[in-house]
Amino acid sequence: MDDGGQGRTNGARGIAARLAAQVSGLLFPPQCAGCGREVADPGTVCGRCWSHLRFIDRPYCAVMGTPFAHDLGENFLSAEAIADPPPFRRARAAVIHDGIPRRMIVGLKYHDQTNLAPWMAKWMVRAGGEMIADCDVIVPVPLHPLRFWSRRFNQAAELARAVARISEKPLEPEALIRVKRTRQQVGLLATERQRNVSGAFRVPQGEEIKVRGRNILLVDDVYTTGATVKAATRALMRARAASVDVLTFSRVLPDM
């Protein structure tokens, strides 16, 4: 086929794709991720729900990213960071895990609403811009193969893929694997969470080159006690990563 014929074929495909999108939009109009109202674009929230979102902005702990009520200085650390220093360098989250963000996580994680991931990732990029600029590679927190088989996708990988696409940073989804089938963390106490994920992660043989000497951005959906990302960070550091930063969509505050 000559270039003109190829161009006409591509043009026809483009028109067909736009028509299909328009028909889909008429039959299944996008709904607000928070309340279900009709919105202009899939994965977005309406104005009313937007006003209830609690974004995490400065001032916050330089290490944990925990928000402060008052500005205590650029490098001021939270009691958590001082009493129990984490293995990662910094942690940041886009929003507080309450209300709408919690529903978005549940929709992505348990109801196959993967269309939410690109929109959630935009908020994450805003929150983690400094860490993204510093990282060499993005790595998602992995699922155990059996859990991946039952869910069919990994929500952390969906978020990491979208963050990598927006930031134009390399994504290495195979650089870290989960070798221990852990219990669900929901409902466990902090100490139980730590025991549950202890030794759960490993950098597989042959993948060390993707980690060694590199600044890693570890991506997950929600930061609760930090047990999961701490265990994953230790596995990456054992593989001689230069540093690990943690970026999540939402954060459960210690007093929630």
Side-chain angles (χ1 to χ4, degrees), residues 50 54-58 60 92-95 119-132 163 166 247:
W50 181 267
R54 299 166 65 194
F55 288 94
I56 299 176
D57 292 309
R58 296 181 187 275
Y60 48 61
R92 300 289 183 266
V95 289
W119 298 94
M120 296 163 74
K122 289 180 180 179
W123 300 356
M124 294 169 70
V125 169
R126 172 184 175 274
E130 184 179 355
M131 299 191 307
I132 292 171
V163 169
I166 295 168
L247 179 61

Side-chain angles (χ1 to χ4, degrees), residues 108 114 116-122 124-125 132 135 137-142 153-174 216-222 245 247-249:
L108 173 64
T114 54
L116 294 175
W119 298 94
M120 296 163 74
K122 289 180 180 179
M124 294 169 70
V125 169
I132 292 171
C135 83
V137 64
I138 297 175
V139 175
V141 171
F153 71 95
N154 174 8
Q155 74 280 353
E158 294 298 315
L159 292 171
R161 185 174 296 109
V163 169
R165 186 181 303 117
I166 295 168
S167 61
E168 299 183 341
K169 290 283 185 172
L171 175 69
E172 293 293 352
E174 308 297 329
I216 309 295
L217 182 68
L218 182 66
V219 170
D220 204 1
D221 53 352
V222 57
D245 286 324
L247 179 61
T248 63
F249 172 69

Side-chain angles (χ1 to χ4, degrees), residues 84-104:
D84 185 20
F88 50 76
R89 182 171 54 171
R90 295 167 294 187
R92 300 289 183 266
V95 289
I96 293 174
H97 188 71
D98 189 24
I100 294 163
R102 180 186 285 123
R103 290 197 290 273
M104 293 176 76

Side-chain angles (χ1 to χ4, degrees), residues 19-31 38:
L19 286 173
Q22 290 172 0
V23 171
S24 177
L26 291 172
L27 295 176
F28 308 103
Q31 295 179 321
E38 188 173 333

Side-chain angles (χ1 to χ4, degrees), residues 89 134 213-217 233 236-237 240-245:
R89 182 171 54 171
D134 291 343
R214 309 187 84 179
N215 297 310
I216 309 295
L217 182 68
T233 295
L236 291 167
M237 295 304 292
R240 300 184 182 180
S243 69
V244 178
D245 286 324

